[in-house]
Amino acid sequence: MPKNESAARGARTRGDRTRSERSIDVHDAALTLFAERGYHGTSMKDIAAALHLRAPSLYNHVSAKQEILRDVMVETMNDLLKVVRSAMAGTDDTVLKLRRAAEAHVRYHARHPREVRIGNHEIPALEEPHRSAITKLRREYSRMFVALIERGVEEGVFTTRSPLLSAYAILQMGIGVSMWYRPDGPLSEDEIVFHYGDTALGVVGGVSGRAGAPATEGAKRPPKRAVGSKK
Amino acid sequence: MPKNESAARGARTRGDRTRSERSIDVHDAALTLFAERGYHGTSMKDIAAALHLRAPSLYNHVSAKQEILRDVMVETMNDLLKVVRSAMAGTDDTVLKLRRAAEAHVRYHARHPREVRIGNHEIPALEEPHRSAITKLRREYSRMFVALIERGVEEGVFTTRSPLLSAYAILQMGIGVSMWYRPDGPLSEDEIVFHYGDTALGVVGGVSGRAGAPATEGAKRPPKRAVGSKK
DNA sequence: GTTACGAACTAACAGTCGTTCGTATGGCGT
DNA sequence: ACGCCATACGAACGACTGTTAGTTCGTAAC
């Protein structure tokens, strides 16, 4: 799961909030398979096989297949919300806020492709009441972008005639990254993040060309050349 | 299926290329269910129930579940390619070509949401060798946009430093439409198409603001007000 | 009125699904 | 050396999967 890359290893003292070490492995294997084949296209036998186990053994670590999906989707959505919110919190300038939000959004999709693919594709596979909870979180997330763009329009720094359409375009841009980005591909994570940070401002029709300094997170600005290799 | 909205009803003279009337119903019911719940999340019993039938009766009209998926995906991708190609063919101006291609792309996704949702989500559910064929068609499709943007950069009418990233952003924009657009929603198809036609030019960094006349297809240009209702 | 046929049905197939149960095993604390 | 306990296992569960076979029904053609 996205959170707790450093911690989350030891400490099983409280058996509820934290997951056991082996349970993390199960979730991780499921994450890969759900992302590749979909929830209904993956069997408990498949997940077990990835860990060199038999299906019944999984039930020593998780209580149900549906629980794995719920954990992944809820935690991912909360994590994404937190990350983008904190990226925006660093400044009061609306243009810069949008740039940083878009960058954080894109970076998250590049770093957690499995989680967001499941989040975007497996909503119908998630049973109630959790599906409604997820849908609400997703509306909250997109609403955050829409509101920010509306503010920019009122301030006169954005010129888009539909903040809603602009927000959706920016969000989709990031989702796309999770579908094709590979760390060993021709484009680096930073190149994509920077380019799409620029593009986001182009989508809302920023003043003239581009504006707003890049975020502090990530590497330094690349030199002003063409990005990535041609083939 | 997307093609033959006028024809395709009668004419069963050749039993191969054309589908029987009832077979079209089965494909249509499956189209809705596959789009809503996914291929593996839909059973033949579900499809039959939508037609007030029992599962075995479906085999009077289709030969297998997998065949339905194959038909949908192959025909949709070919149709999309054809539509966008012909939209681009009307002009030699690169800027206008991109605007028309983007508009056609978006319009298709607004008009055929079920087909393209399946096309984008169910690739892993499609068995070989058809999956490879689809993947090839999809590469051809995106390659078309990339090449067009590269040409614009060479001509100096686009300023993007990565035609690949710009193309993906534009394509994703359209895919997004298929996920949220509803004909009875606050935004009309034409409003979305026009706005995203503009946005596409913003993504590639067109000369200053916006350029290129809108496509001839669809309704007249709307007056220059804010688009859609606020809530 | 008989034949022919498309299309629907029930019954049944072999296989897989997620999950439960009872048991075996192996390492660790005492 | 003992027992504990987490963990893995095989067997089995009822439900469901896609699909086939055999049969019945209603209608149209002759």
Side-chain angles (χ1 to χ4, degrees), chain A residues 94-95 98 148-153 156-160 201 204-206:
Chain A
T94 304
V95 176
L98 180 63
L148 180 61
I149 296 174
E150 282 173 345
R151 192 179 121 184
V153 169
V157 293
F158 300 151
T159 63
T160 176
L201 298 183
V204 295

Side-chain angles (χ1 to χ4, degrees), chain B residues 97-174:
Chain B
K97 257 177 146 51
L98 180 63
R99 176 185 276 280
R100 290 195 179 165
E103 285 181 351
H105 173 75
V106 169
R107 195 179 293 278
Y108 192 91
H109 281 69
R111 289 190 181 174
H112 305 287
R114 298 177 302 170
E115 288 86 344
V116 296
R117 278 160 82 137
I118 294 170
N120 284 316
H121 286 24
E122 305 298 340
I123 297 177
L126 188 63
E127 296 168 8
E128 294 289 6
H130 305 289
R131 184 173 54 224
S132 296
I134 284 290
T135 302
K136 194 174 165 187
L137 284 177
R138 289 172 67 90
R139 251 198 302 273
E140 187 180 341
Y141 186 70
S142 64
R143 184 69 210 148
M144 192 169 74
F145 280 80
V146 174
L148 181 60
I149 296 173
E150 282 173 344
R151 191 178 122 185
V153 170
E154 286 166 17
E155 293 174 356
V157 294
F158 301 151
T159 64
T160 176
R161 280 191 284 155
S162 173
L164 188 74
L165 286 176
S166 297
Y168 285 177
I170 292 169
L171 294 176
Q172 265 321 111
M173 214 168 62

Side-chain angles (χ1 to χ4, degrees), chain A:
Chain A
M1 279 7 53
K3 46 168 61 174
N4 298 355
E5 225 143 16
S6 57
R9 273 290 154 187
R12 176 187 8 174
T13 56
R14 287 288 311 249
D16 245 7
R17 213 48 300 168
T18 64
R19 270 197 291 272
S20 85
E21 193 166 349
R22 202 86 173 109
S23 164
I24 295 178
D25 293 341
V26 175
H27 278 72
D28 191 69
L31 203 49
T32 299
L33 290 169
F34 287 174
E36 279 176 4
R37 318 179 189 173
Y39 178 79
H40 290 301
T42 304
S43 68
M44 292 298 270
K45 191 177 170 184
D46 293 333
I47 300 171
L51 299 166
H52 307 102
L53 292 178
R54 311 298 163 92
S57 305
L58 297 179
Y59 291 84
N60 289 320
H61 311 289
V62 298
S63 69
K65 187 190 181 190
Q66 177 73 203
E67 184 210 51
I68 305 175
L69 181 64
R70 167 176 57 76
D71 286 349
V72 168
M73 295 194 72
V74 172
E75 289 175 19
T76 298
M77 205 55 221
N78 282 328
D79 199 38
L80 177 59
L81 257 166
K82 195 188 67 183
V83 165
V84 173
R85 259 202 251 270
S86 84
M88 282 177 48
T91 176
D92 278 339
D93 179 60
T94 304
V95 176
L96 194 49
K97 257 178 148 48
L98 180 63
R99 176 185 276 281
R100 291 196 179 165
E103 286 181 351
H105 174 75
V106 169
R107 194 180 293 278
Y108 192 91
H109 281 69
R111 289 190 182 173
H112 305 287
R114 297 177 303 170
E115 287 87 344
V116 296
R117 278 160 83 139
I118 295 170
N120 285 315
H121 287 21
E122 304 299 341
I123 296 177
L126 187 63
E127 297 169 6
E128 293 291 3
H130 305 289
R131 184 173 53 224
S132 296
I134 284 290
T135 303
K136 194 175 166 189
L137 284 178
R138 289 172 66 90
R139 251 198 302 273
E140 189 181 338
Y141 186 70
S142 64
R143 184 70 208 147
M144 192 169 72
F145 280 80
V146 174
L148 180 61
I149 296 174
E150 282 173 345
R151 192 179 121 184
V153 169
E154 287 166 15
E155 294 175 355
V157 293
F158 300 151
T159 63
T160 176
R161 280 192 285 155
S162 173
L164 188 75
L165 286 176
S166 297
Y168 285 177
I170 292 169
L171 293 176
Q172 271 310 120
M173 214 169 60
I175 291 172
V177 172
S178 71
M179 302 300 291
W180 53 260
Y181 172 68
R182 299 286 178 277
D184 54 347
L187 279 74
S188 76
E189 181 186 304
D190 280 333
E191 282 174 327
I192 297 166
V193 167
F194 291 146
H195 188 103
Y196 276 162
D198 280 347
T199 304
L201 298 183
V203 165
V204 295
V207 281
S208 80
R210 307 298 202 226
T216 52
E217 185 188 8
K220 277 208 174 64
R221 199 89 194 167
K224 208 162 196 202
R225 292 182 285 94
V227 104
S229 70
K230 183 74 164 303
K231 182 161 286 155

